Every structure is written in C-alpha cells, then in structure tokens.
Amino acid sequence: MAFRDDDEFEAWLKTQPQEICVMIATRAAMRGWWAIAWLWDDNSLTDRHRRLALSTGRAMLISGVAAVSPTPEIKEAAADAAFAAAAFRSAAADAARSAARSAARSAAFRSAAADAARSAAADAARSAAADAARSAAFAAVHSDADHSLEALRTRLLWGDERPDFLSDILKRSRPISASDPNFDFWIRWYEAADRGEPLDFDLQYRIATEIPDEIWTGEDAPRRVAEEIARIEAEFLADKTRLAETVSFNAETGKFRVDPAPMENAPLIGAMLSRTEDALDDALQGRNGLRDDMRDVRVLRRTHARYANDPQRIELDYTSVAISLRRQFEIKELAETDDNQALLEAVEEGALAIRAHHPEVAENRDRLAQQKLRELPEEDRALLEDALPVLEELSEEVMQEDFRADIPQLLNDATQPSPSGAPPLPGVDETTRIFYRVSRIKLLRDELNKASKKGAQIFDSPEFKTLRLGLTVSALLAEMVRLGLFLFGVI
C-alpha cells in the first residue's frame, strides 16, 4: 500500500485494529535492531550496550506476542518493557519502546496505539543512516499494510527480500552472540523472524510473561535472563516430549535414573505380553522371513525381558514394531504370512491395551502422532556423538542402556532414506525418549547445582571438555535442548 506521507500512514493506522498497529510497530522496530545486535568489534560491547540489546529485544518480543494475544499479563509485561527501554537514547531503542508502548495500550485507546506504531516506524527509519536505508525501512513498513495479522506473523521481515545495504553490513559485522553467548537466544529469535519462521508462539509467550521484571532490569541481567530462558526452553521441551515415567537423581550413585509409571491391570498386560512372545516364536519358525538378528525381533525380546513392568516403554516399542512390520509388508521385504500377520495383530492390540489402561500413555501417543520431526542437520551429528559418552556417564541402569541404543539409532535413522525416497528422518519414539530425558536431566542438574557448590563441581568440571566439540557438560546439555527444540519444530 502506498502512502503520500506520515500523516496519511497514521490516518490509515487509526482505522485498523490495535493488533495490526502493534504488529506493524514491532516489525518496524525489529528492522532497526541490527544496529544494536550486530557489532563491528568486541570493543563496542560494553555493559551498557548489553543492557541496551537485552532491553530492546525484550520490548520487541513482548510486543510481538501482544499483537497475537493481548492478555492483561502481556499488557503489563509490555508496559514494564517500554519503561525499561526508555532508559536508553537511540533511534533503535526508541522504536522498540514505541512498539512496547503500543502493545501496552488498552484497546479503547486505538488512536494512541496508532500513534505509537507510527513513531516506531519513524524511529526505525531514523536508525538507518543512509537515504537508501531509510527508504527501504519506510517501504517495508508501508508494504506491511497490505497484509493480515496472521500473514504478518510469517512474512519475511523485509518483505520480498532483505535490502542490499543490510546484507552487506551483516556480512562485515558479527552478531552480539559471537562475543557474549548470553545472547544466543536473541539472535535465534531475530533470525527466525527475519526469515518468516518465528519461534513457537507458546515458547515466546512463556518468556514474555514468566521472567520477573527485576531479573530483566537487575544486576547481571543478560546472564540471569539467559539462564531463565534456558530453563523455560528445557521445560518446554520436556513438556513437548513428555512420557509416562519419572526421571530422578540417585544421590547414592551420583547418577540420573528413570522409573516407569505403575502398571495398571498387570494380569491382563502380562497375558498380552505372553501372547506376543508366543506369536514372535511362531513367526521365527518356518519360512516367514523373520530372523533373530533383525531389529524388530531384538526390540520385542528386549521389551519382554527387561521392560515388562514399564507401560510407556511397551507402548513405544510395540508401536515402533507395528509400524516397521507394516512398512516391510508394503515394500515386500517381509511376506504377509499367517504367522507374520498374527505377530502384527498381537503388537497392535498390545499397544491398544496399554493405551486403554493408561490414559497418560494414550495422550502421549496422540501427541507423538502429530509430531513432524525435521531432518537432523549434518552439523549436529558431532553433537550427538559427543553427547553419547557424557549421557552414559551421567545415567545408570535402564536410562544408560537406552541412551546407548537410542542415540546410534537416531544417527542411523537420520542417514537412511525411506523406501518412498523421502528425506531421512529420525524415529519419533527414540527421539522423544532421548530429548525428554535430556531436558529433565538438565532441569534436575541445574537445581542441584544451585543448591550445592559441590554439585556444581561434580557435574560441570571446567577441566572436562567433550571430544569433538570441546563442550562442558553444561554447554552440551544446553546444545542438546536446542537440538531437541529444533527437531520438534519449536525453534
């Protein structure tokens, strides 16, 4: 949409819902944030600059959330963010403050929200020194007027493409996170919005509302906020990959362990396991194509021998085997003999029986069925390879054995193409088990480290570094949470 001048643009804004004004203001402010979040050299990264980057990032994140969900708690958070950003004097800071101010307004004051949105656009353009840059900023703001709120959420930040002046600047400078890892989240958040793939909304909402204002504005704020965000991300991943089991710390051994949920209707489940074991024995006889060294056979044998009291594990393994058997039938790798069909029927009915008697397992299966995992990035293979010996050392018994089996399986799944030619994807069940437990370990470990200086020494010796990437235990777990959030489409 073309506007002759600022007055015409503001007049148009006053006819729009507050949410549109807030979103336009937020996007306008974000277009100027590069002037704060990208550095020419480390000498410019003063404590004041860190606070400026944090304060403006906070204001824009909260105002973006407020555009979609203007709840009372979000409006209160936006007011706090606008007040904090007012302590800094720069065009980019003014734009962020204006965006937060527009989000904090009551819907009854639509004119005030429109005025704040216009101010954000003007301040963002003012942060660009060159005429071409200011022109690009105004053009991007005006082009946002052609789109709905939902479209703006997933629209490239600069419209069709990033302007040449900014691409050149970003190539010759470095993100603030390269000098201070406490800003890793903020660069991920900004770059995701820039390419029109915003981070999960619920995750952003929690960050916007759960971190107290005194942490945002208090002493050592960048580090403390980064710790809070890491906690929220780990909790978010744990909830997204939730299983019917309990991860705990064994103080006697100094290791993490996992305990299954209590078995309901044990006699019925025991009979179901016996039926499946008999069907497996029958299928291994004669010319059915199954062999003892095949993965499906090994999974069932292991489940029956070691996890017969674990309803979540039985359901995961039975479902995995059922999917595998059906796939082998479809591509003619396995004959659909009576014995093989009986085995498939036994594992499918067994999985259904577990879900029927354990509602929490059924709920987890519904959630897993909706998960669409992303392809494992090649650069993260080294992270998983580094993680395996560390997670084995941190855990014991069943959890240790599962890490030892699941991580190589995840790596293998991510390199083997599917029969249909689709991209190789990690298995949902193994991936869920790995990242649920990793996220719980991180949360428990952080609690222990806060409670005990000795615990911090035990769990994160600065002398320890992983073999390939040279990560401490803390850094490794943080990177594993990041990878889990990526694979499950959160970031």
Side-chain angles (χ1 to χ4, degrees), residues 239-452:
D239 186 62
K240 197 167 186 67
T241 57
R242 184 176 62 254
L243 296 175
E245 61 184 30
T246 301
V247 176
S248 60
F249 178 69
N250 186 340
E252 293 183 1
T253 63
K255 306 277 188 178
F256 293 93
R257 57 177 290 119
V258 63
D259 295 302
M263 182 71 77
E264 301 292 339
N265 202 336
L268 175 64
I269 301 302
M272 176 269 294
L273 293 172
S274 297
R275 175 197 174 194
T276 306
E277 185 68 20
D278 289 343
L280 177 60
D281 288 338
D282 290 343
L284 285 168
Q285 306 302 316
R287 298 182 178 181
N288 294 305
L290 278 180
R291 304 185 310 276
D292 280 307
D293 62 345
M294 295 176 72
R295 180 174 181 271
D296 293 336
V297 176
R298 296 198 311 272
V299 167
L300 290 177
R301 293 288 197 211
R302 183 171 63 240
T303 301
H304 296 160
R306 297 158 72 178
Y307 306 122
N309 67 334
D310 185 343
Q312 179 71 81
R313 183 57 181 262
I314 296 170
E315 194 276 343
L316 287 171
D317 287 349
Y318 271 35
T319 302
S320 174
V321 169
I323 292 172
S324 176
L325 290 175
R326 285 197 174 278
R327 181 187 65 83
Q328 292 177 76
F329 289 166
E330 289 172 3
I331 63 177
K332 308 303 182 185
E333 280 188 359
L334 200 60
E336 295 186 57
T337 63
D338 289 345
D339 287 338
N340 287 344
Q341 289 280 10
L343 177 60
L344 173 60
E345 181 179 305
V347 294
E348 288 186 332
E349 291 185 2
L352 289 173
I354 290 288
R355 293 172 206 156
H357 289 87
H358 291 82
E360 73 280 13
V361 173
E363 179 184 346
N364 293 340
R365 175 51 58 189
D366 288 342
R367 184 166 35 79
L368 289 175
Q370 298 171 20
Q371 297 286 6
K372 295 182 179 179
L373 292 185
R374 291 173 173 167
E375 185 175 353
L376 178 69
E378 182 62 31
E379 60 268 23
D380 284 318
R381 292 182 60 81
L383 174 62
L384 286 169
E385 291 166 358
D386 261 7
L388 178 54
V390 176
L391 293 173
E392 284 184 294
E393 182 63 26
L394 287 175
S395 57
E396 65 181 8
E397 299 176 356
V398 170
M399 183 187 284
Q400 183 184 66
E401 294 166 3
D402 284 344
F403 279 136
R404 191 176 293 145
D406 288 344
I407 290 178
Q409 185 62 44
L410 190 157
L411 288 165
N412 182 65
D413 286 346
T415 57
Q416 301 299 317
S418 70
S420 65
L425 296 174
V428 173
D429 291 350
E430 293 88 351
T431 308
T432 299
R433 194 157 49 230
I434 291 168
F435 288 103
Y436 170 73
R437 293 172 178 178
V438 164
S439 60
R440 292 301 304 158
I441 286 174
K442 174 173 170 47
L443 290 167
L444 287 171
R445 179 183 165 281
D446 288 348
E447 291 176 8
L448 289 166
N449 283 347
K450 286 181 180 179
S452 167

Side-chain angles (χ1 to χ4, degrees), residues 82-365:
F83 181 81
F88 301 93
R89 305 312 305 170
S90 75
D94 290 344
R97 176 178 53 79
S98 294
R101 187 160 52 89
S102 70
R105 299 292 187 185
S106 166
F109 294 94
R110 185 165 60 183
S111 177
D115 179 63
R118 181 198 59 76
S119 296
D123 291 331
R126 185 160 53 87
S127 69
D131 289 342
R134 285 195 294 272
S135 176
F138 274 122
V141 169
H142 293 172
S143 69
D144 279 351
D146 292 322
H147 300 275
S148 66
L149 177 64
E150 188 57 36
L152 288 175
R153 284 195 66 236
T154 56
R155 188 171 187 246
L156 296 175
L157 188 57
W158 287 88
D160 295 333
E161 59 182 350
R162 179 187 288 165
D164 292 339
F165 87 89
L166 183 55
S167 296
D168 182 57
I169 288 173
L170 298 187
K171 286 178 183 177
R172 293 187 290 115
S173 57
R174 299 198 310 163
I176 189 173
S177 58
S179 301
D180 187 344
N182 288 320
F183 288 92
D184 282 348
F185 166 81
W186 295 103
I187 297 302
R188 282 193 280 116
W189 163 78
Y190 180 80
E191 290 182 337
D194 182 47
R195 61 177 181 266
E197 300 173 354
L199 303 187
D200 185 278
F201 178 80
D202 291 335
L203 175 65
Q204 293 191 64
Y205 190 95
R206 289 190 59 180
I207 291 170
T209 59
E210 291 186 14
I211 303 176
D213 184 59
E214 55 266 28
I215 290 181
W216 287 106
T217 58
E219 184 178 351
D220 202 11
R223 179 188 62 79
R224 295 180 67 200
V225 169
E227 289 177 351
E228 287 296 301
I229 291 175
R231 173 188 61 79
I232 292 170
E233 287 189 319
E235 289 177 351
F236 198 87
L237 179 60
D239 186 62
K240 197 167 186 67
T241 57
R242 184 176 62 254
L243 296 175
E245 61 184 30
T246 301
V247 176
S248 60
F249 178 69
N250 186 340
E252 293 183 1
T253 63
K255 306 277 188 178
F256 293 93
R257 57 177 290 119
V258 63
D259 295 302
M263 182 71 77
E264 301 292 339
N265 202 336
L268 175 64
I269 301 302
M272 176 269 294
L273 293 172
S274 297
R275 175 197 174 194
T276 306
E277 185 68 20
D278 289 343
L280 177 60
D281 288 338
D282 290 343
L284 285 168
Q285 306 302 316
R287 298 182 178 181
N288 294 305
L290 278 180
R291 304 185 310 276
D292 280 307
D293 62 345
M294 295 176 72
R295 180 174 181 271
D296 293 336
V297 176
R298 296 198 311 272
V299 167
L300 290 177
R301 293 288 197 211
R302 183 171 63 240
T303 301
H304 296 160
R306 297 158 72 178
Y307 306 122
N309 67 334
D310 185 343
Q312 179 71 81
R313 183 57 181 262
I314 296 170
E315 194 276 343
L316 287 171
D317 287 349
Y318 271 35
T319 302
S320 174
V321 169
I323 292 172
S324 176
L325 290 175
R326 285 197 174 278
R327 181 187 65 83
Q328 292 177 76
F329 289 166
E330 289 172 3
I331 63 177
K332 308 303 182 185
E333 280 188 359
L334 200 60
E336 295 186 57
T337 63
D338 289 345
D339 287 338
N340 287 344
Q341 289 280 10
L343 177 60
L344 173 60
E345 181 179 305
V347 294
E348 288 186 332
E349 291 185 2
L352 289 173
I354 290 288
R355 293 172 206 156
H357 289 87
H358 291 82
E360 73 280 13
V361 173
E363 179 184 346
N364 293 340
R365 175 51 58 189

